[in-house]
Structure formats: structure tokens, C-alpha cells
Amino acid sequence: MLAFLPVVLDMTILHVAVPTLTQALEASNTQVLWIIDIYPLLMAGLLVPMGTLADRVGNRRILLTGLMIFGLASALAAFAPNAPLLIVARMLLALGGAMIMPCVLGIIRRTFEDETERGLALGLWGTVGAAGAAVGPLIGGALLGHFWWGSVFLINVPVMMIVLPACWLLLSRREEITHRPWPIGQAVLLILGMFATVYAIKAGFAAKQPLAIVMLVLTIGVGLLFLFIRMQLRSPAPMLDLSLFSRPAIVAGIIMAIVASGSLAGVELTLAQELQYVLGKTPLQAGLFMVPIMAAAALGGPVAGWLSARFGLRPVACLSLAISAGALAGLAVTNFHDPGLIVPVLLASLGLALSIGLTASSIAIMGAADASEAGAAGSLEATGYELGSGLGITLFGVFMSVVFGRNLVLPDGLPDRLADQAGLSMGDVYITAQQVGADQGAAMIAAGKAAFSVTHSVLLTTAAVLMGLLTILVYVLLADARTVPAGSH
């Protein structure tokens, strides 16, 4: 749990820091998206290779190496003088995080053979995951209230100085490993294929690159992934056992992880900007506003383990997703200017339900995998989380920009150059408003706030519809999922 916490904090701690960081580094809109996205997107490509490497070398060794890299990369990110160097530091953070995450799940799978105990252990893991992701904006807001933007990364260094010796002392030096070579060529194929494919999707949606370039990169990415799959099917020692995908519970768990984590990351990023740009809250106030998500998410993990043992995985997973969809739909039509009691209740419902849903996905995947497949299965689930977060932020960010631009009604008389820039994002409205007269600038900001409120409602409604569709899909996929009777040992 200690090893996992800094990795999951780093997924969301930047959300409230985006406005501050953008101004300090004079980062463009594209650079800001890369600073946030490079971490989950690169990690998504690295997780399966690192998970299978851990099965061969040992979880303890890979975990300790990952913790060291993560600590050093955090220090580099904190003192990055410009946006490109911060992007490089975030790439190193992704490498360290990709070594840590599968090992945490692999250690849990190998330590707890009893299914009821494993469900509770994965519940605690889910709590750290959901609560860590939710508490990220709060910690980020508190740090930004007193220190410079780099403090959101520097906080990881003292944590690693405690976690590293603790893991070195507490983790067993004896563990079962798979005595097979680690095919580095297959790993490189997978990393390049995933990154090219995800980059093409990102660039295509953002319309930042010509269609010909997007299609070329997408073709290369899909081609590399196809080659990787062929190698797995033909190789006597494949890096990833593709038969894992023949188990419906594993497929359901991965899809749940992608959609739920993507929705959570996108919603948090949207809320953080709405609260700061439209309602004028400080980063700390924005973090405090999201406390109900964090507090409820902390309860969701252990509750999910207990509920799944008591009632079975399928009803728990489907009900949690249905409640998430309802909470998102409720937030879409609620007035944040006058939140009353309804907004905290909806935020708490969302945090609790998504936390239960994410833990249910872990129970589905790890329950369908044998102990010898723990690293590979754990890396598949973690890939779902990271891919979900990365794509969630990308698609929400791009969707937000398109909807915002269409709803923005700027005052007359603005030069075309300024009008085009203001239409990109709420941050750009504030930047361009400083380049015109006070009255015109105030009118621009008012127009921007009105457009962002509409955008925010459209995004939350879309997330609610996605969650509703996921509920139906998971209900079908988990039809034959094993259930664990209460109290069984």
C-alpha cells in the first residue's frame, strides 16, 4: 500500500496545478496536455512488459528499482525549468510507476491464496487507489497555497525515503519466479505499438496534426500491435499469455478499469477547472470541494470486498456502475454556484460507487488468474487504469475544447488572432483578456465562464451515458463469474 500511494497520487495531483503551472512555465495548451498525459500513456505501454519481467526476476527486485527511479524522477520534475524538461521527467516517473504497480498486485495475489482474504486485500488496495486519486487534488491545492508548483512533485521524495527502506525490510526475499527468458524485442514492439496508436487517437481527436500524418501513425501503431499479437501466438515463450483474454471476467475487469478510471480522471480535471476558472476558488478550496469524492472512495474498497463475498461479484459491479451513472447525470444538471447539500451527496455517491466498481474489477481479474499469472494479470489491470486515465484526460480535454469553442460568444471588435486563441480553452480566455481593454477583457471572461458551465454539463452527461452502457456490458460479461460464499475459507 505504501509503495502504491505515491504512484496513484501522481495521476491526479497535477489537476489543480494546471492553471498555476501553465502560467509559470508559459506552456502551450498542447504542452499542458502532454505534461498531464505522458505519464499515464507511457505507463500504459510499459505495464505489461514490467509485469511479465517481475514474474521472471521477482516482484521485490523490480519494485525496489521502480521506487528508486520514481523518487529521482520526482526531484527532476520539481525543478524542471521549462515544459519540455518537465515532460521528460514525467516520462521517467512513468517508468518508475510501471515497475511499481504490477508488483503491488502480484504480491497481493501471491500472498493471499484464500479468495475471501484476497477480496479484502484487494479492497484495501482499491481504497488506496481511489482515495489516493481523489486526495491528489487536495494535497496539490494545499501545497500550491504555500509553495511553488514544483512542490506537487517534490512531496514524493520524502515519501520514497520512508517507503524504500520499509519495502526492503518487509518484503520476502523468497518468491516463486518463472524461469523463462524475457523477450525484450516483444516488449519494445508492444510499447511502441501502444504509444503510436494512443498518440494517433489523441492527435486525431485534437485535430492538431494533418489527417495524413494521423492515419500514418495509427497504421504504424496498429501494425506493431498486430505483429506483437502474432509473435505471442507463435512464440514458444510469449511475453504475455493471450489466453487470459479468453476469460470473460478478465475482459469485464479490464473494460471496467478503462471506463471508470477514464471517467474519474476526466471528471476531476473538469471539476478542478470549473471551480477555479468559473467560481474563482483557490487551488486549496477546489481540493476541499472534492473531499466528498475522496472520503467516500476511502470506504468503497473494503466494502466492495465484503459485498462481493456476500452477494457475488456481478450484482455488486453492476449496481456500483449504475449508481455512478446516476451521480454523474445529477451533477450535470446541478448548479455549482449554489451547491447546497445535493452536490456533496452526489460527489460522495460517485466516489463510493466508482471505488466499489474499480475494486470489483480487481477482484474479477485477480480471481480469474492463477498465482503464476499474478504479475501478468496485475499488469493488464493496471494497463486498463493507466490507459483509461490517459484517454479520459485526452478525450475530455479535446471534447472540452470543441464544446467550449462552439458555445463561446465573444464580444464584437476582437482581432481574429485573439478570438481564435480564446476559443481554445478557458485558460486561453484569461490570457487573451489581459491583452485588451479592461471592459472588453471583463466581457470576454464572463462569456468564457458561461461557455465553460455549458461545456461542464455536456461532459458530465456524456460520462453518465458511457457508464450506463458499461453497466449493461459488464452484466453480460460477468454472467458466469465465480462467486465466493460469505465466510468461506
Side-chain angles (χ1 to χ4, degrees):
M1 297 305 104
L2 284 170
F4 179 53
L5 185 60
V7 181
V8 81
L9 277 176
D10 239 54
M11 291 178 206
T12 59
I13 200 167
L14 261 190
H15 291 181
V16 292
V18 166
T20 313
L21 185 147
T22 305
Q23 312 292 328
L25 293 180
E26 296 180 352
S28 69
N29 199 37
T30 307
Q31 286 176 327
V32 169
L33 270 181
W34 273 116
I35 289 165
I36 299 171
D37 269 359
I38 195 73
Y39 179 75
L41 294 183
L42 186 57
M43 211 194 278
L46 288 167
L47 277 161
V48 170
M50 290 304 159
T52 52
L53 182 64
D55 283 340
R56 288 160 172 75
V57 176
N59 285 295
R60 184 178 185 274
R61 193 180 297 177
I62 297 294
L63 181 64
L64 292 172
T65 308
L67 289 169
M68 253 189 300
I69 292 171
F70 200 86
L72 288 170
S74 296
L76 284 173
F79 297 105
N82 54 45
L85 281 173
L86 180 55
I87 292 168
V88 171
R90 292 278 283 170
M91 291 171 78
L92 280 174
L93 279 168
L95 173 62
M99 298 175 89
I100 294 166
M101 281 186 77
C103 293
V104 172
L105 279 165
I107 288 164
I108 290 173
R109 174 65 186 85
R110 286 173 170 151
T111 306
F112 299 99
E113 284 296 326
D114 178 78
E115 289 193 18
T116 307
E117 285 186 354
R118 191 191 311 135
L120 289 171
L122 286 169
L124 292 170
W125 176 85
T127 296
V128 173
V135 83
L138 181 61
I139 294 174
L143 289 168
L144 289 169
H146 298 91
F147 306 104
W148 91 117
W149 64 265
S151 60
V152 300
F153 295 110
L154 201 60
I155 189 72
N156 291 332
V157 176
V159 174
M160 286 301 165
M161 290 171 77
I162 297 166
V163 173
L164 248 174
C167 289
W168 189 80
L169 289 167
L170 295 172
L171 291 179
S172 172
R173 284 166 173 75
R174 293 182 62 194
E175 54 181 319
E176 285 182 39
I177 57 172
T178 309
H179 295 285
R180 283 190 296 177
W182 187 65
I184 191 163
Q186 294 178 26
V188 171
L189 262 183
L190 178 64
I191 293 163
L192 293 177
M194 282 198 73
F195 201 85
T197 304
V198 173
Y199 175 76
I201 294 168
K202 178 184 169 64
F205 274 104
K208 297 286 183 194
Q209 299 285 355
L211 186 62
I213 292 175
V214 171
M215 293 310 295
L216 177 65
V217 175
L218 182 63
T219 305
I220 292 169
V222 171
L224 290 172
L225 289 177
F226 179 72
L227 195 59
F228 171 77
I229 291 167
R230 280 192 66 181
M231 288 178 79
Q232 301 314 292
L233 294 172
R234 293 182 175 189
S235 171
M239 190 185 82
L240 177 65
D241 182 5
L242 292 179
S243 69
L244 288 170
F245 288 101
S246 67
R247 301 168 204 177
I250 288 182
V251 175
I254 292 168
I255 294 171
M256 282 171 72
I258 290 173
V259 177
S261 62
S263 296
L264 188 60
V267 166
E268 279 198 348
L269 185 62
T270 311
L271 283 178
Q273 293 190 43
E274 167 90 6
L275 293 167
Q276 291 178 74
Y277 282 140
V278 179
L279 301 184
K281 293 184 181 292
T282 64
L284 178 57
Q285 287 171 332
L288 286 169
F289 193 93
M290 289 194 263
V291 160
I293 294 184
M294 170 195 71
L299 297 171
V303 169
W306 180 80
L307 287 175
S308 297
R310 185 73 188 261
F311 301 107
L313 185 61
R314 191 191 195 192
V316 171
C318 292
L319 189 61
S320 69
L321 294 171
I323 292 169
S324 300
L328 286 166
L331 287 168
V333 296
T334 307
N335 182 6
F336 277 59
H337 290 270
D338 181 24
L341 190 61
I342 187 69
V343 170
V345 167
L346 287 170
L347 289 173
S349 302
L350 181 65
L352 181 67
L354 278 180
S355 174
I356 290 172
L358 289 172
T359 304
S361 74
S362 306
I363 294 168
I365 292 169
M366 302 314 283
D370 295 327
S372 62
E373 304 165 325
S379 64
L380 280 177
E381 181 183 4
T383 300
Y385 279 121
E386 295 309 318
L387 202 55
S389 294
L391 286 175
I393 289 167
T394 299
L395 298 179
F396 268 72
V398 171
F399 191 27
M400 191 188 299
S401 185
V402 171
V403 177
F404 179 78
R406 287 188 178 168
N407 284 283
L408 183 64
V409 184
L410 291 167
D412 295 330
L414 272 181
D416 289 345
R417 178 183 61 82
L418 291 181
D420 289 344
Q421 187 185 348
L424 293 174
S425 70
M426 191 65 207
D428 286 295
V429 169
Y430 275 94
I431 292 167
T432 50
Q434 293 169 5
Q435 299 172 39
V436 296
D439 290 344
Q440 204 171 24
M444 283 180 70
I445 289 170
K449 287 181 176 182
F452 197 90
S453 291
V454 174
T455 306
H456 169 234
S457 292
V458 172
L459 283 170
L460 292 179
T461 304
T462 306
V465 171
L466 275 175
M467 207 64 75
L469 293 172
L470 178 62
T471 308
I472 299 165
L473 181 62
V474 168
Y475 183 80
V476 173
L477 286 172
L478 290 182
D480 299 320
R482 286 182 295 171
T483 58
V484 189
S488 66
H489 289 282

